[in-house]
Amino acid sequence: MTGRGSSVPTRHAAAPPVPAITSPLRDVRALSHRLVTHFADNVAPCGTLPGDALRGDITSVTRTCLELAAGVLEGRDVTTKIERLQRAGADWAREGIPIGTIHRAVHDGFTLGFDLIVETTTAADYDRLAVTARRLLEVVAMVDSAFAVAYVREHRAVVAEHHTAVHTVTSALLAGHPTSTMARAGGVQIDESYYILAVSIPPHAGEFDPTVDSEVVARRKLRRIQSQLADSAAGHALSLLGADGGTVLLPASVVEEDTLGGLVSRLSTAAQVSITATLIKADTADIPEAADRAHELLDMVHRLHCAAGLYRFDDLVMEYQLTRPGPGREFLGALLDPLDEYPELLDTLVRHIGNDMNRQRTARVLGVHINTVDNRLKRIGQLTGFDPSQSSGVWYLRSALVARSYRNSERTRIGRPDNIFANSTANDQCSDSAFLDSATVHTVSMPGGARGRSANRSASQSTMTGAPVNCSGR
């Protein structure tokens, strides 16, 4: 009893849980047959699902889904059913069945099953139907998640295996090792000849941002490049790339040479930086020597401060010849020694030649009066003996700039395959370390690299600064 004016709350016994409707799903055999027929006629009418898969595995998995649905509706443990679906999802990922086809089949199957349940209900079954609908949504989420998790996990494993095979074959080709056995094992087709791209990738602006992890920004940049390369080359490209650059081999039987300029442009767009690349074509047996030459050319392009883009050998054949060791290069390189004491004169010469001998533009870039430019050019002629206002003098001075950049320095050879493997998105390891130890990956780091990354071009930096030295990539 309670005091006057108070009331005693009435306690009601908890209502028993409303059972879900499961009777239309109990004939698993007949319903599985009906669903698989629907999948064959509507979900994969063009043969996406192999016939043996429809007759065997698909039917088995469909029955598992129905049993899982009934188990959830009746409150039973369905852990083993989910594990069975995950195994099936992994198998289908490896067989190449699209994930969209799997999800479409799941949703179509549950739609048909729910329609059967609705057909057997009346107005009096509203509460049971509502409970059934909510639980079926849980079942759909379970099945979708089971397939998606297994599919993505297996797909990543397959991609990692393929990347490992590609890296192994590419390393072997660049090192001049036999590739037939490993190519067959990795499913990689070897072409008779290749276009060899030596690639230099500058840092992304985000790599200099102190508020973000520069390594994360660099990895994302590299992933975008690799994705664009795979799309543009239809999966035929063989590449060893790091965040700073590397080597790409494109089969000549598949790729047209006149499309490579557009390829470099698309890679630059994807990377959100201006990529520089040099191109040489070679037979497969000559790839090591041709790759060396391509990276020598790329090193020269950087020394000359050429604009970003694609450069073929014939674009800079004269400059390339001037870089060959010998008395001619030493003579030309020494022509500018009198300017060592006058760095402003050397800077003016570099910018003037880079601006195609346009005095007004040179003055604007240097921030000086045009008469100052004229006086400096006259002084350059007096010190070197070659007049920058005369075509013959310009030829010698420009040649001297090219040769000078190679005096007392070696060409840049940066990066090894194991470094690139360590930074790959799949973190895959090459199966044959012998090839990794002997193969060379040719990458060129840009000056002033991002925080936490080495700027290893110091040995190859020329004394030139500023504008490009009359280069034009195609």
Side-chain angles (χ1 to χ4, degrees), residues 363-421:
R364 184 168 61 253
V365 170
L366 293 173
V368 298
H369 194 275
I370 190 172
N371 290 340
T372 302
V373 174
D374 291 337
N375 291 334
R376 290 181 181 179
L377 294 177
K378 182 182 297 184
R379 181 62 173 155
I380 289 170
Q382 293 171 350
L383 291 172
T384 63
F386 297 96
D387 188 353
S389 65
Q390 300 293 325
S391 59
S392 59
V394 170
W395 191 93
Y396 271 100
L397 291 171
R398 185 175 187 276
S399 300
L401 285 173
V402 174
R404 180 184 174 87
S405 70
Y406 282 88
R407 291 178 67 193
N408 303 319
S409 67
E410 297 296 332
R411 292 176 179 80
T412 304
R413 312 308 293 258
I414 303 171
R416 290 185 58 79
D418 48 349
N419 296 331
I420 291 181
F421 278 109

Side-chain angles (χ1 to χ4, degrees), residues 39-63:
F39 299 154
D41 293 341
N42 299 281
V43 178
C46 297
T48 304
L49 302 178
D52 56 342
L54 282 170
R55 291 188 297 272
D57 201 33
I58 302 299
T59 299
S60 174
V61 173
T62 300
R63 295 185 63 175

Side-chain angles (χ1 to χ4, degrees), residues 6 30 38 42-43 172 191 196 213 228 245 367 375 397 437 443 449 452 469:
S6 63
H38 171 81
N42 299 281
V43 178
D191 206 43
I196 302 169
D213 189 334
Q228 180 62 57
N375 291 334
L397 291 171
D437 292 337
T443 62
V469 184

Side-chain angles (χ1 to χ4, degrees), residues 182-421:
M182 67 183 72
R184 285 194 299 270
V188 180
Q189 187 78 24
I190 302 297
D191 206 43
E192 294 182 357
S193 61
Y194 284 86
Y195 293 109
I196 302 169
L197 285 178
V199 181
S200 176
I201 308 171
H204 187 276
E207 295 177 61
F208 298 101
D209 188 344
T211 64
V212 300
D213 189 334
S214 62
E215 295 298 330
V216 172
V217 177
R219 284 198 300 269
R220 289 175 177 173
K221 174 187 67 177
L222 180 58
R223 288 192 193 102
R224 293 194 300 271
I225 293 172
Q226 291 170 331
S227 177
Q228 180 62 57
L229 180 62
D231 290 342
S232 298
H236 295 290
L238 301 177
S239 66
L240 282 178
L241 290 173
D244 296 321
T247 308
V248 177
L249 307 179
L250 298 166
S253 64
V254 177
V255 178
E256 297 291 336
E257 183 176 358
D258 57 5
T259 66
L260 296 180
L263 170 62
V264 173
S265 296
R266 290 191 296 276
L267 294 179
S268 296
T269 300
Q272 300 171 11
V273 295
S274 297
I275 289 176
T276 302
T278 52
L279 171 67
I280 290 180
K281 183 181 179 181
D283 293 338
T284 300
D286 300 327
I287 284 178
E289 179 183 353
D292 287 342
R293 192 178 308 118
H295 281 273
E296 288 176 0
L297 189 63
L298 181 61
D299 179 58
M300 186 184 70
V301 166
H302 277 297
R303 290 170 186 261
L304 299 182
H305 296 271
C306 295
L310 176 65
Y311 293 87
R312 294 166 172 82
F313 185 78
D314 56 357
D315 290 329
L316 296 169
V317 63
M318 185 191 75
E319 290 84 350
Y320 180 83
Q321 191 59 38
L322 289 172
T323 66
R324 300 302 87 191
R329 190 182 78 177
E330 296 305 315
F331 170 79
L332 289 172
L335 292 181
L336 299 181
D337 285 353
L339 301 183
D340 286 342
E341 299 180 15
Y342 308 96
E344 73 281 359
L345 297 183
L346 184 61
D347 187 35
T348 299
L349 177 63
V350 170
R351 293 177 183 272
H352 187 55
I353 293 178
N355 288 322
D356 201 20
M357 277 67 71
N358 187 309
R359 293 158 51 249
Q360 290 84 359
R361 191 182 307 161
T362 301
R364 184 168 61 253
V365 170
L366 293 173
V368 298
H369 194 275
I370 190 172
N371 290 340
T372 302
V373 174
D374 291 337
N375 291 334
R376 290 181 181 179
L377 294 177
K378 182 182 297 184
R379 181 62 173 155
I380 289 170
Q382 293 171 350
L383 291 172
T384 63
F386 297 96
D387 188 353
S389 65
Q390 300 293 325
S391 59
S392 59
V394 170
W395 191 93
Y396 271 100
L397 291 171
R398 185 175 187 276
S399 300
L401 285 173
V402 174
R404 180 184 174 87
S405 70
Y406 282 88
R407 291 178 67 193
N408 303 319
S409 67
E410 297 296 332
R411 292 176 179 80
T412 304
R413 312 308 293 258
I414 303 171
R416 290 185 58 79
D418 48 349
N419 296 331
I420 291 181
F421 278 109

